[in-house]
Amino acid sequence: MSETARTTIDQAEVDRFSAMAAEWWDPTGKFKPLHKFNPVRLAYIRDLASAHFDKDPKAHRPLEGLRVLDIGCGGGLLSEPMARMGAEVLGADASEKNIGIARTHAAGSGVAVDYRAVTAEALAEAGETFDIVLNMEVVEHVADVDFFLTTCASMVRPGGMMFVATINRTLKAAALAIFTAENVLRWLPRGTHQYEKLVRPEEIEKPLAASGLAVTDRTGVFFNPLSSQWNLSKDMDVNYMLVARRAPTGTPD
């Protein structure tokens, strides 16, 4: 398949999330798990980005001056708080419905986010570049993981970084993140995740390395039912996050 014919879009996945678009900002609706996950992933992004770019994570706008791409932004659950932290945010999603919801919510909240219904490959082809690319809970929903990651990596500026969050392809993840979450706890609609589309860490790291990005941090994330909160963990068997960086211009990888 030629590069021009390749696509990152899995239309069935786009349709699935478009059908739920009206519920993006309902903390008790179909996206309740993401609302609960937001504090831990936002803190992870803020703290590691602040350290990398020599910013104060306790500042009112710690990401001031940084351009951020939130690819697969959905209704904007990450884009808005990133903008509040001072970043210039481009929220991109293949679903027009998701982008419509995101724009409406941002306007009502008074938050400036550049939302576009566009693919990663279209942004890359247009020459867009960013200090930070957020690739959060997206890779398990795309058609071509390697192409998606290399495309996103191409938009990371020298000295920039990419964050990735997804679900590991393990039996433990199948039991907890799919069967229990969708069928027992009913956190997610059935069919939200398919086991064969889950992605192992090495399947993330290989295309990133080939694109000149070096992984600098990895962490597992687990849900504590007693506190009803997500926490960082050494266990990456189910949910995990990692961050990779591109060396500044003129320095070795």
Side-chain angles (χ1 to χ4, degrees), residues 157-213:
R157 293 170 174 170
M161 58 201 314
M162 182 193 295
F163 289 83
V164 181
T166 190
I167 302 171
N168 206 341
R169 193 171 68 256
T170 63
L171 293 179
K172 186 174 177 181
L176 296 177
I178 298 180
F179 181 78
T180 301
E182 297 182 10
N183 297 281
V184 179
L185 298 175
R186 304 292 176 87
W187 282 352
L188 299 164
R190 290 183 182 181
T192 298
H193 294 110
Q194 294 88 48
Y195 179 76
E196 64 275 8
K197 289 180 71 68
L198 302 184
V199 188
R200 295 187 176 122
E202 59 269 26
E203 295 167 342
I204 301 286
E205 296 182 18
K206 185 176 180 180
L208 293 187
S211 301
L213 300 187

Side-chain angles (χ1 to χ4, degrees), residues 46-61:
R46 179 200 63 209
D47 292 350
L48 271 70
S50 295
H52 180 69
F53 291 104
D54 195 23
K55 305 277 189 177
D56 179 2
K58 296 181 181 179
H60 177 57
R61 292 168 63 85

